[in-house]
């Protein structure tokens, strides 16, 4: 029997391990050289980074990608929301006319919340300036404010006078109770808007270089000779600083509203005390008060005024031709189709007009809106404007979305009779009792 030495035994047993070690060292050296060749050979480009959301991995050096919309401080109630979130607000007197619009607008808001990007619509509040609650309190999230003109619960000559104070009351309350704030951007609206799709965010609310946005109204003309003397009483600076806008639609940060709104209230009060300003600026004087306030804060509030087709807020059928970049339509005008020029006696062949809505029955049970007649050449709108195919198509899109919203709304007739009306009557009784006690004192 042949005996082998211990050295021979060890060498024989270790040969496979030695081969494996050599192979491992070869590949380690190869990949080390490959990854560092740009440092050894001048002029070779560095490897690109593979970027994913939040981090960079793989090919090159690690890179942290900043999420520009990230909430700055989850523990701060005012800064806990992502910078691309929106809290929508709108004001109302609670009359049947506005409640019809409010029900449709809020229903369309909820439809858009279900679309891709709709998750950024994180809050909705109706600011109700009324002496008593109304019958939408259980359907629409509502903040109730005592009006400066109580008579506007019914008919009054200028119900818009309550809006500035109501807006200020909400922001003052939210400053004390931050849980009321439900987004990073705050979007002031009117009841006759229809949500068509999610808002295109201008950028992160937490980036101080990103401006808020508002809409340019053609009929607001602070530079007009008839308006300039009144505007100069509120803003003595360059008239070009005063935008042609109004308090809705406006999207700004909370702190920017807190700067502009008190000035807006002061200016609107001053207007109501000045008969010349009231007569010169007319029904839209409160919009001019907003514009003068914005001009007074031009150095500390960033705000961009947009117009079709660049508006990210609203378009106005029937005179705009498509949705453009906007997220909503504004039906300030009706859709009135005429055969022939209206001013020359053209026959009206189709009509949908918000001003035809005013009875409580129309608001409690909202019926689908009849669609326009098919487009054809030779039809005219209000102001003798020709009806074009693009204008007709935008009207159809708006009314179709309104009907989709209407289809989600319950009939409130029985609710009003058994719940809301008794509650409102009791609130009126208590209000009148308090008023009598106050006068007696």
């Amino acid at each position: 029997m042949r005996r082998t030495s211990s050295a021979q035994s060890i060498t024989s047993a270790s040969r496979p391990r030695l081969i494996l070690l050599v192979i491992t060292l070869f590949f380690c050296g190869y990949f080390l050289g490959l990854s560092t060749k740009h440092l050894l050979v001048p002029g070779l480009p560095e490897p690109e980074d593979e970027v994913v959301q939040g981090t960079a991995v793989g090919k090159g050096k690690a890179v942290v990608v900043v999420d520009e919309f990230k909430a700055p401080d989850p523990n701060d109630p005012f800064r806990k929301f992502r910078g691309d979130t929106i809290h929508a607000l709108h004001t109302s007197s609670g009359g049947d006319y506005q409640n019809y619009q409010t029900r449709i607008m809020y229903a369309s808001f909820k439809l858009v919340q279900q679309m891709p990007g709709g998750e950024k619509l994180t809050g909705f509040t109706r600011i109700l300036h009324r002496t008593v609650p109304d019958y939408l309190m259980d359907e629409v999230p509502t903040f109730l404010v005592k009006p400066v003109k109580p008579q506007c619960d019914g008919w009054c000559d200028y119900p818009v006078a309550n809006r500035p104070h109501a807006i200020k009351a909400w922001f003052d309350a939210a400053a004390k109770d931050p849980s009321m704030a439900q987004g990073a951007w705050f979007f002031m609206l009117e009841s006759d808007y229809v949500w068509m799709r999610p808002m295109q965010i201008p950028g992160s609310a937490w980036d101080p270089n990103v401006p808020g946005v508002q809409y340019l109204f053609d009929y607001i003309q602070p530079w007009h000779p008839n308006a300039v003397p009144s505007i100069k009483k509120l803003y003595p600076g360059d008239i070009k600083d005063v935008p042609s806008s109004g308090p809705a639609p406006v999207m700004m940060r909370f702190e920017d509203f807190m700067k502009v709104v008190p000035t807006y209230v002061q200016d609107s009060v001053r207007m109501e005390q000045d008969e010349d300003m009231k007569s010169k600026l007319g029904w839209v004087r409160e919009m001019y008060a907003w514009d003068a306030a914005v001009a007074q804060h031009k150095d500390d509030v960033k705000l961009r005024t947009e117009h079709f087709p660049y508006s990210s807020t609203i378009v106005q059928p029937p005179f705009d031709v498509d949705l453009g970049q906007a997220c909503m339509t504004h039906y300030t005008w009706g859709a009135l189709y005429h055969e022939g020029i209206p001013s020359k006696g053209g026959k009206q062949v189709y009509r949908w007009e918000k001003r035809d809505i005013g009875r409580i029955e129309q608001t409690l049970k909202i019926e689908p809106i009849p669609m326009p007649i098919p487009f054809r050449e030779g039809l005219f709108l209000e102001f003798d404007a020709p009806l074009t195919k693009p204008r007709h198509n935008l009207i159809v899109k708006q009314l179709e979305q309104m009907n989709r919203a209407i289809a989600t709304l319950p009939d409130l007739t029985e609710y009003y009779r058994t719940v809301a009306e008794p509650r409102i009557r009791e609130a009126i009784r208590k209000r009148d009792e308090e008023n009598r006690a106050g006068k007696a004192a």
Side-chain angles (χ1 to χ4, degrees), residues 150-376:
Q151 63 269 33
C152 293
D153 278 12
W155 183 91
C156 67
D157 60 343
Y158 193 56
V160 188
N162 284 322
R163 177 158 65 171
H165 299 80
I167 293 174
K168 185 176 184 300
W170 187 88
F171 278 98
D172 287 346
K176 296 176 181 178
D177 179 7
S179 67
M180 294 172 57
Q182 299 168 16
W185 288 108
F186 294 82
F187 201 4
M188 190 61 63
L189 313 175
E190 290 189 334
S191 56
D192 56 351
Y193 294 174
V194 181
W195 281 87
M196 304 295 288
R197 60 189 179 194
M199 171 76 174
Q200 297 183 49
I201 308 296
S204 176
W206 308 127
D207 181 351
N209 296 312
V210 175
V213 294
Q214 62 180 0
Y215 184 78
L216 188 152
F217 290 96
D218 291 333
Y219 54 83
I220 300 298
Q221 301 172 352
W223 40 264
H224 193 280
N226 289 341
V228 169
S230 297
I231 300 301
K232 284 291 186 180
K233 292 179 182 179
L234 304 176
Y235 180 70
D238 190 340
I239 201 69
K240 294 179 180 178
D241 295 336
V242 183
S244 300
S245 189
V250 176
M251 189 168 76
M252 296 195 304
R253 300 165 181 83
F254 188 92
E255 59 267 28
D256 290 339
F257 273 107
M258 291 295 287
K259 293 173 185 176
V260 176
V261 167
T263 309
Y264 162 53
V265 171
Q266 292 170 10
D267 288 351
S268 64
V269 169
R270 186 173 176 184
M271 279 186 174
E272 294 307 298
Q273 296 171 346
D274 190 316
E275 291 301 323
D276 183 63
M277 292 174 74
K278 288 170 64 175
S279 64
K280 290 287 178 58
L281 301 179
W283 180 259
V284 293
R285 58 187 180 268
E286 170 261 355
M287 296 176 71
Y288 282 106
W290 171 267
D291 293 334
V294 168
Q296 291 173 72
H297 291 277
K298 64 183 178 65
D299 294 329
D300 59 350
V301 173
K302 291 182 181 294
L303 187 59
R304 180 174 68 240
T305 305
E306 303 173 332
H307 194 271
F308 179 84
Y310 308 107
S311 167
S312 59
T313 56
I314 61 171
V315 293
Q316 301 191 97
F319 300 110
D320 285 333
V321 295
D322 59 53
L323 195 56
Q325 300 178 26
C327 62
M328 294 175 291
T329 60
H330 176 208
Y331 52 97
T332 191
W333 295 290
L336 313 179
Y337 288 20
H338 299 81
E339 288 180 341
I341 298 174
S343 66
K344 295 183 179 180
K347 179 184 177 183
Q348 189 174 107
V349 293
Y350 171 77
R351 177 185 181 90
W352 186 80
E353 167 62 77
K354 68 178 181 180
R355 294 163 186 85
D356 294 339
I357 307 296
R359 302 191 316 274
I360 189 170
E361 296 82 8
Q362 294 172 297
T363 299
L364 295 176
K365 184 180 181 181
I366 300 182
E367 299 291 344
I369 299 169
M371 296 303 292
I373 61 175
F375 173 79
R376 65 176 185 266

Side-chain angles (χ1 to χ4, degrees), residues 100-176:
Y100 173 93
Q101 299 167 16
T102 295
R103 294 192 73 194
I104 295 174
M105 196 260 275
Y106 183 48
S108 70
F109 173 87
K110 291 191 289 185
L111 288 178
V112 169
Q113 277 186 310
Q114 305 306 312
M115 297 180 181
E119 70 280 357
K120 297 174 183 177
L121 301 175
T122 49
F124 187 99
T125 302
R126 176 181 66 143
I127 304 173
L128 178 64
H129 41 81
R130 193 173 181 85
T131 61
V132 295
D134 70 351
Y135 53 85
L136 294 187
M137 302 294 287
D138 292 336
E139 181 173 276
V140 182
T142 299
F143 177 78
L144 182 63
V145 180
K146 288 186 178 180
V148 295
K149 284 193 169 185
Q151 63 269 33
C152 293
D153 278 12
W155 183 91
C156 67
D157 60 343
Y158 193 56
V160 188
N162 284 322
R163 177 158 65 171
H165 299 80
I167 293 174
K168 185 176 184 300
W170 187 88
F171 278 98
D172 287 346
K176 296 176 181 178

Side-chain angles (χ1 to χ4, degrees), residues 7-38:
Q8 286 177 322
S9 178
I10 293 172
T11 301
S12 175
S14 301
R15 187 174 290 115
R17 297 179 184 174
L18 183 60
I19 293 171
L20 180 60
L21 177 62
V22 170
I23 292 172
T24 301
L25 291 174
F26 171 80
F27 280 105
C28 286
Y30 174 79
F31 286 114
L32 180 62
L34 183 66
S35 63
T36 59
K37 65 180 184 295
H38 63 284

